Amino acid sequence: MSLDTGTEALARLAEERVDHRFKGLPPDADGLTVAELAAQGRNLFTGGFTTPVLALSAERLEHNLALMETYSARHGLAFAPHGKTSMAPQLFWRQIERGAWGITLAVPHQVRVAREFGVERVFLANEVVDPAALRWIAAELAADPSFRFVCYVDSVRGVELMDAALRGSARPARPVDVVVELGAGEGARTGVRTETECAAVADAVAGVETLRLVGVAGYEGEVPEPDPERVGAWLRRLSALAVEFDKAGRFAGLEEVIVSAGGSAWFDTVAEVFAEIPGLSVPVLKLLRSGAYVSHDVGHYRRVTPFNRVPEEGTLEPAFRLWAQIVSRPSPDQAFANAGKRDAAYDLDLPAAEVVRDAGTGTVRDATGITVTGLSDQHAWLRTEAGAELEVGDWVGLGLSHPCTSFDKWKLIPVAEADGTVTDYVRTFF
């Protein structure tokens, strides 16, 4: 699979018919293809869209893509953004066109989506011991010599299970590349806890023909009580593990060694520590995997983004806005909008009321004195302070926190320019 395959698959997306499956889209667009609807350039506010409707800012999306491309290049990092954030092949390809080495994913189904859309390099930041998934991966490797696949291993038992599955009828034409995952500490998520155990896992990989050790990796976001010092110390352990494996000859015969980390909260520390990695016997691919940057947010990731610590490097911009309509104003201090848990991320923070679009004049003003206090399945609870301007019929623009659980509530997301003109639609596959 390749760019040509991806282009063909994306073209098929554009030919998908708009209908009841896609919430928020204009009812009178039913039967049009996505391409035909995009070509109409309808306005998000006056073009027949129904509330609630989630939109991505075209300008902010492009800004974020460009910023992380520049940041990665400046720090000598290869970039495999985490695709689980959006599960949107259109965005995968925009990231690749912006210089990404490949796409990071979390489970085999997500890899199937990426492969359907021609992605040639996949870093699976997770263990895989499912025999059916491993047989499918082996078949993909056999069918496409250009396909590069890498995944985690963190136990001898896991290596044994992978080997047993891959030694079956779908034995890979080439070994499956794996990296030993170093755990971030006791009580953290997956990953080997000690360097001695890492060596045992690496020995197990060396003892089978179906797997090939190509590096080390982990996720610094799981470091307990993280701060720059603790995160930096764990990243230096990861780097030192690569050095020790290299000294032991574990990477003999490779063209490159992968050392990978990097969520969306500590990529500045990753860049700092990875810059210290000494030369090994083969070149090192320093692979960053941040994913939430693509849309950013107004809550959790706005608070934790490394750009707060290094503002001279740039600033990410929140690209999502959920538009809902005020359907009830039962008292001077309370209002209800028609978007709730089915529409908005709420696992990290409640949505934030940002702007109000007047139902009568169409003018947009700051949502001063308006606070989201809770969500029901299909309602947002709003507290309104004295003097807050808000009437039934007004549209309220809500900022969201946590990109991953924002994307996964919407199958087709309008991409709108600053004046509301919708120029594209992003299809998700969760």
Side-chain angles (χ1 to χ4, degrees), residues 50-207:
T50 62
T51 56
V53 59
L54 181 69
L56 275 166
S57 162
E59 296 87 354
R60 292 184 172 195
L61 179 61
E62 176 60 24
H63 169 85
N64 293 343
L65 290 167
L67 179 59
M68 285 305 292
E69 176 189 24
T70 300
Y71 182 89
S72 300
R74 182 184 301 128
H75 291 280
L77 300 169
F79 191 29
H82 212 317
K84 73 172 176 63
T85 297
S86 70
M87 283 309 298
Q90 291 150 282
L91 297 184
F92 293 175
W93 274 105
R94 288 187 67 176
Q95 290 168 318
I96 291 168
E97 289 163 359
R98 282 288 189 176
W101 172 90
I103 298 296
T104 296
L105 295 163
V107 293
H109 164 258
Q110 296 171 357
V111 183
R112 291 184 62 194
V113 173
R115 291 297 288 157
E116 178 66 23
F117 288 87
V119 176
E120 290 190 334
R121 291 174 177 165
V122 170
F123 187 97
L124 184 64
N126 206 343
E127 285 71 26
V128 183
V129 295
D130 183 327
L134 288 164
R135 288 193 292 269
W136 175 81
I137 290 166
E140 286 291 294
L141 290 168
D144 186 358
S146 65
F147 178 36
R148 180 81 194 276
F149 174 84
V150 182
C151 70
Y152 284 176
V153 289
D154 78 345
S155 68
V156 172
R157 171 66 171 164
V159 170
E160 293 170 347
L161 290 172
M162 293 182 75
D163 179 55
L166 293 168
R167 278 189 288 106
S169 59
R171 181 172 179 168
R174 49 200 166 103
V176 172
D177 287 346
V178 297
V179 291
V180 172
E181 182 194 8
L182 178 65
E186 291 300 323
R189 207 163 57 187
T190 55
V192 186
R193 292 325 198 221
T194 70
E195 281 74 2
T196 300
E197 292 172 298
C198 285
V201 174
D203 286 342
V205 173

Side-chain angles (χ1 to χ4, degrees), residues 61 121 125 128 187 193 237 280 287 331 375 379:
L61 179 61
R121 291 174 177 165
V128 183
R193 292 325 198 221
R237 279 185 64 200
L280 302 185
L287 194 62
S331 66
L375 294 177
H379 290 91

Side-chain angles (χ1 to χ4, degrees), residues 182-323:
L182 178 65
E186 291 300 323
R189 207 163 57 187
T190 55
V192 186
R193 292 325 198 221
T194 70
E195 281 74 2
T196 300
E197 292 172 298
C198 285
V201 174
D203 286 342
V205 173
V208 301
E209 296 180 355
T210 55
L211 304 177
R212 181 176 71 157
L213 181 66
V214 297
V216 297
Y219 175 48
E220 76 291 341
E222 282 289 309
V223 170
E225 300 179 1
D227 60 26
E229 290 71 31
R230 291 187 180 92
V231 170
W234 178 83
L235 286 164
R236 289 182 175 90
R237 279 185 64 200
L238 182 67
S239 300
L241 182 64
V243 172
E244 290 305 310
F245 276 11
D246 188 53
K247 287 179 179 178
R250 298 187 186 278
F251 301 138
L254 298 181
E255 294 181 357
E256 66 181 10
V257 171
I258 295 174
V259 181
S260 179
S264 296
W266 297 100
F267 56 73
D268 60 330
T269 310
V270 172
E272 176 187 342
V273 174
F274 279 12
E276 302 168 359
I277 296 175
L280 302 185
S281 61
V282 291
V284 178
L285 185 77
K286 303 170 184 178
L287 194 62
L288 182 69
R289 307 192 308 268
S290 311
Y293 82 98
V294 69
S295 67
H296 198 47
D297 72 12
V298 303
H300 177 74
Y301 285 101
R302 175 179 276 175
R303 293 191 296 271
V304 304
T305 177
F307 289 120
N308 291 336
R309 294 186 291 271
V310 287
E312 67 278 5
E313 296 263 22
T315 303
L316 291 169
E317 297 179 355
F320 269 139
R321 183 164 282 169
L322 176 63
W323 288 96

Side-chain angles (χ1 to χ4, degrees), residues 331-344:
S331 66
D333 63 353
Q334 194 173 39
F336 292 87
N338 64 346
K341 293 179 180 179
R342 299 291 183 249
D343 314 296

